[in-house]
Amino acid sequence: MSGNGNAAATALARIQTDSVVATLKALYPGLQFEIIAMSTTGDKILDTALSKIGEKSLFTKELEHALEKNEVDLVVHSLKDLPTVLPPGFTIGAICKRENPHDAVVFHPKFVGKTLETLPEKSVVGTSSLRRAAQLQRKFSHLEFRSIRGNLNTRLRKLDEQQEFSAIILAAAGLQRMGWHNRVGQGALGVEVRAKDQDILDLVGVLHDPETLLRCIAERAFLRHLEGGCSVPVAVHTTMKDGQLYLTGGVWSLDGSDSIQDTMQATIHVPAQVPKLEGEGVINKSAYNLICSHQFPPPSRIQHEDGPEDDPQLVGITARNIPRGPQLAAQNLGISLANLLLSKGAKNILDVARQLNDAH
């Protein structure tokens, strides 16, 4: 196994990758995996806010380069790190079941027992997300919000050992995956592969969680249509109940003073869990975030109910073993909600947010 020598920096990514490998091993006992540790631009630039770096592929570019060179075959990402428009030749071949999608507040030890509402005036709260800062600034105007970067270990150490932050905001899913439930007071994993590598697509396709897949298609379609990213405060959330997919989205000004939010729903049938494909062989390589080159007979294909397609991707996701109809319905829901917000003035809020972010 190769690596960048920084165990703390790769801890969460390794845990996430190990979970995917463990699932594949259970499904395909004949396969072998090698995990290779890699670091990305986003891992290395820690003194600048994400929204200021100006690079859309902060946590993916180096990993995709390894995919392109056939050094690896699979890359395991937190889905939120994957842009809604992937570079040509790449696709998301699997979306695993989502964990807790909520944000978590972690307080400095001296403020244990407090809430954001009861923190002293001008207390500083750290977050790397413009969306989180804008939402919280709107509700807790007595607080100040500053950028904090680094892996979970680094951010928690900055919180505990320094006096700069009274609290920090983190993804609950990351804390849970690290086993730090006691510090909690986003969920989905995506597996990126080469778009034309049908053998690997078939291998990882069984990892798709149908409900999470459809919810993520709707969310990514919403974000793509609004051109949301690290430089603007945009939020989206989905729930599924009684055959209805509910999509809530919103945009905020940087200071949280202006916002537009709305909810739409669509009737979407969630198919049963995808079946395991038959096939045996050996995967010779893989990666910390990546699972690599393979040698095994192609497994039997699951033919799409609507027949062959030249471009099966929707918002960068390929799921040939999930019926196309529900996927299109989820995508259309995301686009419809984005258009609704745009009709209510979201474009102006986003344009101003981008201009202000670029100016500072």
Side-chain angles (χ1 to χ4, degrees):
M1 177 185 300
S2 63
N4 62 7
N6 187 344
T10 63
L12 178 58
R14 180 58 192 263
I15 288 171
Q16 293 177 163
T17 301
D18 284 347
S19 71
V20 170
V21 171
T23 302
L24 288 172
K25 283 183 175 179
L27 291 168
Y28 302 101
L31 300 185
Q32 298 176 5
F33 300 85
E34 177 189 354
I35 297 179
I36 303 171
M38 299 180 68
S39 60
T40 66
T41 301
D43 298 320
K44 299 171 184 175
I45 303 177
L46 301 178
D47 58 353
T48 305
L50 291 175
S51 58
K52 302 293 185 183
I53 298 176
E55 168 62 59
K56 292 185 177 181
S57 303
L58 288 175
F59 298 100
T60 62
K61 184 169 63 176
E62 288 84 357
L63 308 182
E64 287 168 342
H65 183 60
L67 270 175
E68 186 176 36
K69 293 170 63 179
N70 291 309
E71 294 174 353
V72 303
D73 288 323
L74 315 182
V75 182
V76 180
H77 300 278
S78 291
L79 191 60
K80 63 182 178 61
D81 293 335
L82 278 170
T84 56
V85 178
L86 298 182
F90 301 103
T91 189
I92 301 169
I95 294 180
C96 304
K97 185 175 179 61
R98 171 175 266 154
E99 290 194 25
N100 187 341
H102 297 99
D103 295 332
V105 182
V106 183
F107 291 94
H108 188 282
K110 69 180 179 182
F111 290 120
V112 170
K114 291 282 190 179
T115 65
L116 289 177
E117 188 172 18
T118 59
L119 279 176
E121 189 85 12
K122 301 298 183 181
S123 292
V124 176
V125 177
T127 174
S128 61
S129 165
L130 286 182
R131 185 266 304 171
R132 289 169 177 158
Q135 288 177 309
L136 293 171
Q137 186 73 73
R138 183 179 180 87
K139 187 171 183 179
F140 305 104
S141 57
H142 68 294
L143 302 178
E144 295 182 1
F145 295 87
R146 296 179 191 168
S147 175
I148 183 170
R149 294 290 316 285
N151 58 75
L152 288 180
N153 308 61
T154 299
R155 280 180 277 177
L156 287 171
R157 186 172 63 252
K158 288 179 179 179
L159 173 68
D160 292 341
E161 299 178 1
Q162 301 176 13
Q163 299 301 314
E164 180 179 359
F165 298 101
S166 299
I168 59 176
I169 312 297
L170 301 169
L175 290 167
Q176 291 173 341
R177 286 174 181 142
M178 291 289 285
W180 294 336
H181 302 77
N182 63 318
R183 298 305 302 258
V184 178
Q186 279 209 12
L189 295 180
V191 181
E192 187 179 15
V193 302
R194 291 179 293 273
K196 299 300 183 181
D197 195 335
Q198 191 59 55
D199 290 344
I200 291 294
L201 277 167
D202 285 342
L203 175 74
V204 303
V206 70
L207 298 177
H208 276 306
D209 178 74
E211 179 178 318
T212 304
L213 167 75
L214 296 174
R215 291 170 61 183
C216 288
I217 286 176
E219 294 164 5
R220 288 172 63 83
F222 171 82
L223 293 171
R224 176 186 283 190
H225 204 66
L226 287 179
E227 298 182 357
C230 290
S231 62
V232 289
V234 178
V236 62
H237 177 65
T238 52
T239 56
M240 184 78 73
K241 184 178 180 181
D242 299 328
Q244 296 291 308
L245 178 59
Y246 296 86
L247 181 68
T248 298
V251 300
W252 284 260
S253 58
L254 288 185
D255 63 2
S257 62
D258 197 7
S259 70
I260 298 175
Q261 303 174 61
D262 217 317
T263 299
M264 295 184 73
Q265 68 187 82
T267 301
I268 295 181
H269 171 67
V270 179
Q273 183 66 42
V274 297
K276 173 180 176 291
L277 296 173
E278 297 302 325
E280 295 183 356
V282 176
I283 290 185
N284 294 327
K285 294 181 180 179
S286 80
Y288 131 88
N289 275 14
L290 311 126
I291 310 166
C292 310
S293 101
H294 63 290
Q295 296 176 352
F296 61 93
S300 58
R301 304 281 194 266
I302 294 181
Q303 295 298 326
H304 196 282
E305 63 178 16
D306 298 327
E309 298 174 88
D310 291 334
D311 183 10
Q313 291 193 44
L314 291 180
V315 289
I317 301 168
T318 299
R320 291 182 181 272
N321 46 2
I322 302 293
R324 187 72 164 178
Q327 294 187 59
L328 290 170
Q331 177 182 250
N332 291 338
L333 177 62
I335 293 173
S336 296
L337 181 59
N339 283 331
L340 177 61
L341 296 193
L342 290 171
S343 72
K344 293 184 173 184
K347 185 178 187 303
N348 182 62
I349 293 177
L350 294 176
D351 286 346
V352 171
R354 289 190 181 94
Q355 292 169 5
L356 290 174
N357 185 58
D358 292 342
H360 293 81

